[in-house]
């Protein structure tokens, strides 16, 4: 029965996370490849899987694709991150409305932001805690579920909240950057929030250390054409630097 087969396929995805069409053909020898492709398409339409080349991956598995543990990342490339933060904070303007993304590089930016009047919205729990050490800025933490790996919060209402605010400058983090995929991150929800922030921001700033060039995560939230300023360290390779400047973005 078709329904029974699809339930069995769903169980396989829940167990393995990802499966190739060839494996399904071996599992269901009485079914044609076309029938199994339709099964996968059906599951994709139900929001349970995403088709890939030669198979599919469970959405639950995709949602759990994250970066390395935050504490490990926070201790990695600290010199580069400090360099980036010191460059980026020069864009800061007193009295402006700022969005500060989550991420270890953003923690260094939070430390550099002067204790002056401004409104700061962030998805980073650790960012908000760091900014609380300052007495003047108004700090807003968006609501949602906590992602322990990124120390960020995100939820179904987060994008709606962001759509209701005005942002002068958005300081955005990216988990990876490639020519073909642009700027990428690890979860679908995080991607949606980043996209909404960029829609609302007057000036869009991406901060990334040079080691992330060539790294590709599952979800693209922006391309170079969407960015006004790209802040990185002095070790960025010539290829990446050329891509950035050719796009029209300012490279710092």
């Amino acid at each position: 029965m078709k329904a029974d087969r699809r339930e069995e396929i769903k169980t396989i995805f829940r167990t393995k996370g990802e499966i190739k069409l060839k494996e399904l053909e071996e599992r269901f020898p009485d079914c044609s490849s076309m029938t199994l492709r339709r099964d996968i398409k059906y599951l994709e339409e139900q929001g349970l899987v995403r088709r890939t080349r030669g198979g599919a991956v469970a959405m639950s598995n995709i949602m759990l694709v994250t970066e390395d543990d935050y504490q490990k990342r926070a201790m990695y490339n600290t010199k580069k991150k400090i360099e980036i933060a010191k460059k980026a904070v020069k864009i800061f303007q007193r009295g402006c409305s700022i969005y500060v993304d989550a991420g270890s590089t953003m923690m260094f930016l939070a430390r550099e932001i002067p204790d002056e009047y401004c409104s700061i919205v962030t998805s980073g729990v650790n960012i908000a805690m760091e900014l609380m050490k300052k007495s003047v800025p108004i700090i807003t933490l968006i609501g949602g579920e906590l992602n322990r790996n990124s120390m960020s919060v995100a939820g179904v209402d987060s994008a709606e909240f962001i759509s209701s605010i005005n942002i002068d400058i958005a300081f955005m983090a990216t988990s990876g950057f490639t020519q073909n995929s642009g700027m990428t991150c690890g979860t679908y929800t995080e991607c949606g929030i980043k996209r909404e922030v960029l829609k609302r921001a007057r000036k869009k700033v991406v901060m990334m250390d040079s080691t992330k060039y060539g790294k590709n995560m599952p979800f693209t939230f922006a391309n170079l054409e969407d960015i006004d300023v790209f802040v990185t360290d002095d070790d960025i390779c010539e290829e990446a630097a050329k891509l950035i400047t050719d796009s029209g973005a300012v490279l710092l």
Side-chain angles (χ1 to χ4, degrees):
M1 295 284 292
K2 178 170 67 175
D4 293 337
R5 182 181 67 250
R6 287 179 173 175
E7 281 300 318
E8 188 173 347
I9 293 174
K10 281 197 286 186
T11 300
I12 295 172
F13 275 110
R14 281 196 295 266
T15 303
K16 298 188 64 176
E18 182 176 6
I19 193 167
K20 298 296 184 183
L21 179 62
K22 185 177 180 181
E23 295 177 70
L24 289 178
E25 289 172 345
E26 294 173 354
R27 183 71 172 263
F28 303 98
D30 296 333
C31 294
S32 66
S33 295
M34 186 60 67
T35 296
L36 295 171
R37 288 180 189 275
R38 283 197 293 266
D39 289 340
I40 292 175
K41 183 179 180 182
Y42 168 80
L43 295 179
E44 184 176 50
E45 291 170 349
Q46 297 295 307
L48 299 174
V49 306
R50 189 178 73 178
R51 283 181 290 178
T52 59
R53 185 178 180 86
V57 59
M59 286 302 297
S60 58
N61 197 54
I62 292 174
M63 294 297 288
L64 291 173
V65 174
T66 56
E67 306 166 79
D68 298 331
D69 178 77
Y70 175 82
Q71 293 299 329
K72 293 179 181 177
R73 298 198 321 276
M75 300 299 294
Y76 184 65
N77 280 336
T78 54
K79 185 176 179 181
K80 293 180 187 297
K81 292 171 184 176
I82 292 170
E83 176 189 342
I84 293 166
K86 289 184 178 296
K87 288 181 181 180
V89 78
K90 294 177 182 178
I91 303 170
F92 171 86
Q93 297 175 355
R94 188 180 186 277
C96 64
S97 173
I98 300 172
Y99 182 87
V100 178
D101 206 356
S104 56
T105 302
M106 295 298 164
M107 175 60 80
F108 291 98
L109 175 65
R111 292 171 183 169
E112 293 292 331
I113 290 175
D115 193 2
E116 297 180 4
Y117 174 72
C118 62
S119 175
I120 305 175
V121 177
T122 183
S123 60
V125 177
N126 57 327
I127 303 298
M129 294 295 290
E130 181 66 30
L131 290 168
M132 280 181 61
K133 298 175 183 178
K134 306 177 191 298
S135 59
V136 181
I138 299 169
I139 305 159
T140 302
L141 179 65
I142 68 171
E145 183 179 351
L146 174 65
N147 181 330
R148 289 179 175 83
N149 286 323
S150 63
M151 293 296 290
S152 65
V153 288
V156 293
D157 297 327
S158 301
E160 183 178 352
F161 169 74
I162 290 168
S163 69
S164 68
I165 63 175
N166 298 312
I167 302 170
D168 292 317
I169 308 171
F171 292 98
M172 308 300 293
T174 181
S175 303
F177 167 46
T178 66
Q179 181 176 4
N180 292 331
S181 298
M183 280 141 281
T184 56
C185 60
T187 70
Y188 182 78
T189 305
E190 179 187 9
C191 178
I193 291 172
K194 287 176 182 284
R195 287 177 178 174
E196 192 62 39
V197 169
L198 292 174
K199 285 181 187 177
R200 300 296 300 170
R202 182 175 56 83
K203 178 173 286 188
K204 308 162 184 68
V205 181
V206 166
M207 298 168 58
M208 182 197 82
D209 73 71
S210 56
T211 64
K212 291 180 180 176
Y213 178 64
K215 185 176 181 180
N216 197 16
M217 298 296 279
F219 301 99
T220 297
F221 67 88
N223 293 305
L224 282 172
E225 292 74 19
D226 304 316
I227 302 304
D228 298 310
V229 183
F230 199 107
V231 188
T232 186
D233 57 80
D234 293 339
D235 291 331
I236 192 73
C237 67
E238 291 184 10
E239 179 184 45
K242 188 175 187 305
L243 285 174
I244 295 164
T245 54
D246 286 352
S247 74
V250 175
L251 176 62
L252 294 181

